[in-house]
Amino acid sequence: MTIAKRLTSLLAAPLAASAGLPAWAAPAATASGTYTTATGGTGGPLPNQLNLQPAATQIASEIYTLHNWMMIICLVIFVAVFGVMFYSIFKHRKSVGHKAATFHESTAVEIAWTVVPFLIVIGMALPATRTVVGMKDTSNADITIKATGMQWKWGYDYLKGEGEGISFISNLSTPREQIGQPGQPATQPRGENYLMEVDNDVVVPVNKKIRIVTTATDVIHAWMIPAFGVKQDAIPGFVRDAWFKSEHTGTFRGNCAELCGKEHAFMPIVVRVVTAEEYTAWVNTKKAEMAAQADDPNKTWTIDELKTKGEKVYTANCAVCHQANGKGVPGAFAPLDGSAVVNGAKGDQIHVLLNGQKSGKYPAEMPGWKQLSDTDIAAVITYTRNNWSNKPAENIVQPAEIVAARK
């Protein structure tokens, strides 16, 4: 048997297997509306999933196809190179009387191992470049949404298109009882969407081009939805963008993909893709909710009203670092119970809430919270100044004081 025939027989099996790979690895869902079912009803990864998530956009499909073909090419190269190497080692081993050849500087070999890899690289680069260029084309978007990463939540502002003016914070909604407190085990079993559920979904219409503008307020985060083929860094002081156009309705889940700190795993992203009619209804409902929740900054609140509202704001935004008991996390986050800032002049605490603080005592910086409303900031400050063991002389802050401090 010639060397060529032996190599052919060695490559036959893996080539036959790779020929079936596209079918094995094809997206599980292609029809509109079937995506949620294809992911076990969660919209996220399945238990023990090894392959990529089913593609929900054209770009994600192209990434999927590129991934499969690159794997096939790598497999063929691996089998060819190591097949020749092991065949040569076995066939020409010293124990059967072979002696090492002494030739060198073969012109034909030099040309072959230069031209063949070059052609392979070109063959891989051309389709990949076309997809990358497509990923960066954020022009002519139907809706533009700004996603702001902050420790550890996402803020969303609908900047352009239907829904312009909508703004909200998206927090992890998995109960602390399922996660456990630092040094304490969980007291409840994990839910179906453990660490992949939020209190405010991003809602967009199906078959519309959505531009996502990313930035951050503290450290580098990354906005990623695998099913959309989107992963874009969110960097403080910089603006980056990406886009997607979902071909399926359903719920899609992702995470912050940049290691951003202790609670990095607590920054899930949930996008709900709905029909055009459902999106219009959501926009109207959301704007009505925002109008109803808008508080008059000139209103004078009672201390009980501010404490009640402040507890909700604290639980949603502050408890993840400072803990529900206000004790903080030793070596990581400052306690508010007995804090000199909380028990000191209220103007200093207002400044910290609006502009953040880097004391140097803890590795994590306290970020500014200007994205909260004037009433929310006044309420949460009043709550912390009248809770636990805190008993400052100035124990109430009105929204009008926050308005004045912003100027």
Side-chain angles (χ1 to χ4, degrees), residues 229-262:
V230 173
K231 176 184 176 296
Q232 183 61 61
D233 284 349
I235 306 171
F238 291 84
V239 172
R240 297 285 186 271
D241 61 356
W243 70 277
F244 64 87
K245 184 178 182 180
S246 178
E247 300 172 348
H248 307 273
T249 58
T251 300
F252 303 85
R253 302 181 190 275
N255 292 87
C256 172
E258 194 71 44
L259 187 57
C260 58
K262 174 178 172 291

Side-chain angles (χ1 to χ4, degrees), residues 148-149 214-220 233-240:
T148 304
T214 63
T215 187
T217 61
D218 35 47
V219 299
I220 299 176
D233 284 349
I235 306 171
F238 291 84
V239 172
R240 297 285 186 271

Side-chain angles (χ1 to χ4, degrees), residues 307-345:
K307 286 168 61 179
T308 301
K309 185 177 182 64
E311 184 176 10
K312 296 178 181 177
V313 178
Y314 182 88
T315 301
N317 299 283
C318 314
V320 67
C321 296
H322 299 293
Q323 306 302 304
N325 57 12
K327 299 296 184 183
V329 178
F333 300 106
L336 299 185
D337 184 11
S339 164
V341 174
V342 177
N343 286 281

Side-chain angles (χ1 to χ4, degrees), residues 55-116:
T57 66
Q58 180 62 37
I59 288 294
S61 295
E62 292 180 16
I63 293 173
Y64 206 108
T65 301
L66 282 170
H67 164 77
N68 291 339
W69 279 110
M70 297 305 166
M71 288 294 292
I72 292 172
I73 292 172
C74 291
L75 180 63
V76 170
I77 293 173
F78 176 86
V79 171
V81 171
F82 281 89
V84 171
M85 185 178 73
F86 285 117
Y87 171 80
S88 300
I89 292 173
F90 176 77
K91 185 66 177 179
H92 303 96
R93 63 190 184 276
K94 184 178 180 180
S95 61
V96 295
H98 282 279
K99 294 182 179 180
T102 57
F103 69 88
H104 61 90
E105 296 182 1
S106 171
T107 302
V109 173
E110 295 278 358
I111 293 175
W113 71 30
T114 300
V115 173
V116 172

Side-chain angles (χ1 to χ4, degrees), residues 33-55:
T34 60
Y35 186 88
T36 301
T37 303
T39 57
T42 66
L46 294 170
N48 304 316
Q49 180 175 338
L50 297 177
N51 207 348
L52 303 180
Q53 287 187 26

